[in-house]
Amino acid sequence: MNTSSAKERRALILRQLEQKEEVLVSELSNETGISEVTIRKDLTVLQNRNLLIRTRGGAMRRPVENPNGETAISRKRMFNFKEKERIGEEAVKLIKEGDHIMLDSGTTTLEVARHLHKFRNLHILTNAINIASELITYNRFDVILLGGNVHTNNHSTVGPLALSVLRNFTGYKLFLGVDSFSMEHGVSTPSLEEALMNQLMIQQASQVIAVFDSSKFNKRSYSFIARPEDLDCIITDSAIPTGMASKLRAAGIEVRIV
């Protein structure tokens, strides 16, 4: 496989480090069809972003520093990025001119924000600092960023202040990012603060659209957010586990597969 895009190669490297402790330059070169010199440059870039540790002849997984097991957004954005782009593109089909929408924090909801080019008039509420920055570039939307404590891993705001402000807004169409989902345990996340934010977002929303790639299915994390039936729609990619779409539809959830 000739993986010519730097973004694709670096995503491949990080995916491999999710499966094993160390990768070798020679093996990556053979697998991607790219020279060892270029692979070494990729490893250096990823090390400079604190996503791995360079070793003699390769690189090793960076130890998890966050005790609750969360993955930094800078690392998350490298995984399944093509699927996330397609999900973001599909999600905007559920938006109409003049809509009031709420964008949860996350790498897939960021892709929703990046696909709003055709709209002129939207009212957008978010707790994600990076998403608010993306929305500012349009220079035409009404954007509200919830205040609160900054959750550094997700570039989001959480805590009592954020929750207090959120209670003033109802009727928004929510695009919800998801860390873990299963039919048995619903939506969950490693962070209790994020869970509390998401629970209130769902409570205040007029419609809940979960946007997440297929790698999040059949997983359970520490903090409960919602039951499957609390979701109105799920947008995901074609690698969704066999039979999952049927189960979701049987539960009354609209499923869009890209």
Side-chain angles (χ1 to χ4, degrees):
M1 176 183 64
N2 191 317
T3 309
S4 56
S5 161
K7 192 173 183 180
E8 288 178 314
R9 291 195 309 272
R10 293 164 191 171
L12 171 66
I13 291 168
L14 292 177
R15 284 198 300 270
Q16 291 202 4
L17 284 173
E18 289 291 305
Q19 305 299 322
K20 53 187 177 181
E21 293 289 337
E22 188 171 3
V23 293
L24 299 176
V25 170
S26 57
E27 292 178 354
L28 291 168
S29 177
N30 289 334
E31 183 170 351
T32 61
I34 301 298
S35 71
E36 292 190 7
V37 171
T38 300
I39 295 295
R40 290 191 186 95
K41 290 179 180 178
D42 289 336
L43 295 179
T44 298
V45 169
L46 293 171
Q47 177 175 255
N48 291 340
R49 295 178 184 173
N50 293 319
L51 298 175
L52 53 72
I53 299 172
R54 288 295 307 274
T55 61
R56 186 185 181 99
M60 63 182 292
R61 185 191 308 168
R62 179 171 288 278
V64 176
E65 297 177 0
N66 195 321
N68 63 15
E70 289 183 273
T71 304
I73 199 167
S74 58
R75 189 177 182 90
K76 286 181 181 178
R77 67 184 300 183
M78 300 296 292
F79 297 123
N80 302 318
F81 62 88
K82 286 187 175 181
E83 289 84 354
K84 292 174 182 178
E85 287 175 354
R86 292 198 298 270
I87 291 168
E89 187 175 3
E90 180 68 21
V92 300
K93 295 177 182 178
L94 297 175
I95 299 173
K96 298 177 181 178
E97 193 71 59
D99 264 357
H100 288 68
I101 66 174
M102 191 186 312
L103 294 176
D104 177 30
S105 63
T107 53
T108 309
T109 47
L110 177 60
E111 290 302 324
V112 178
R114 287 175 171 168
H115 284 84
L116 297 174
H117 308 286
K118 70 176 183 179
F119 297 103
R120 305 299 304 176
N121 175 32
L122 292 174
H123 307 273
I124 307 174
L125 178 68
T126 186
N127 71 322
I129 298 168
N130 57 337
I131 289 177
S133 296
E134 182 73 24
L135 295 171
I136 287 171
T137 64
Y138 290 100
N139 197 31
R140 58 182 181 268
F141 300 145
D142 173 28
V143 180
I144 297 174
L145 174 63
L146 296 173
N149 297 342
V150 176
H151 191 289
T152 55
N153 262 22
N154 288 341
H155 296 180
S156 63
T157 56
V158 294
L161 178 58
L163 292 169
S164 177
V165 175
L166 178 57
R167 289 189 179 93
N168 292 288
F169 298 92
T170 61
Y172 279 66
K173 189 177 294 181
L174 169 62
F175 292 86
L176 179 72
V178 173
D179 289 308
S180 304
F181 177 90
S182 74
M183 290 302 297
E184 296 78 15
H185 305 291
V187 183
S188 56
T189 181
S191 168
L192 176 59
E193 289 183 314
E194 287 283 344
L196 293 174
M197 281 295 297
N198 288 163
Q199 288 171 7
L200 185 57
M201 284 179 170
I202 291 170
Q203 178 181 318
Q204 300 292 90
S206 60
Q207 184 179 6
V208 182
I209 302 151
V211 289
F212 59 100
D213 67 81
S214 57
S215 69
K216 309 299 177 59
F217 281 102
N218 295 327
K219 292 184 178 179
R220 182 186 187 184
S221 199
Y222 311 115
S223 300
F224 171 80
I225 293 175
R227 302 166 301 171
E229 55 266 34
D230 293 325
L231 308 178
D232 297 299
C233 176
I234 290 176
I235 305 177
T236 190
D237 62 86
S238 58
I240 182 173
T242 303
M244 179 63 72
S246 298
K247 292 179 182 178
L248 292 168
R249 290 176 177 132
I253 302 166
E254 178 185 358
V255 181
R256 294 186 173 218
I257 298 175
V258 298

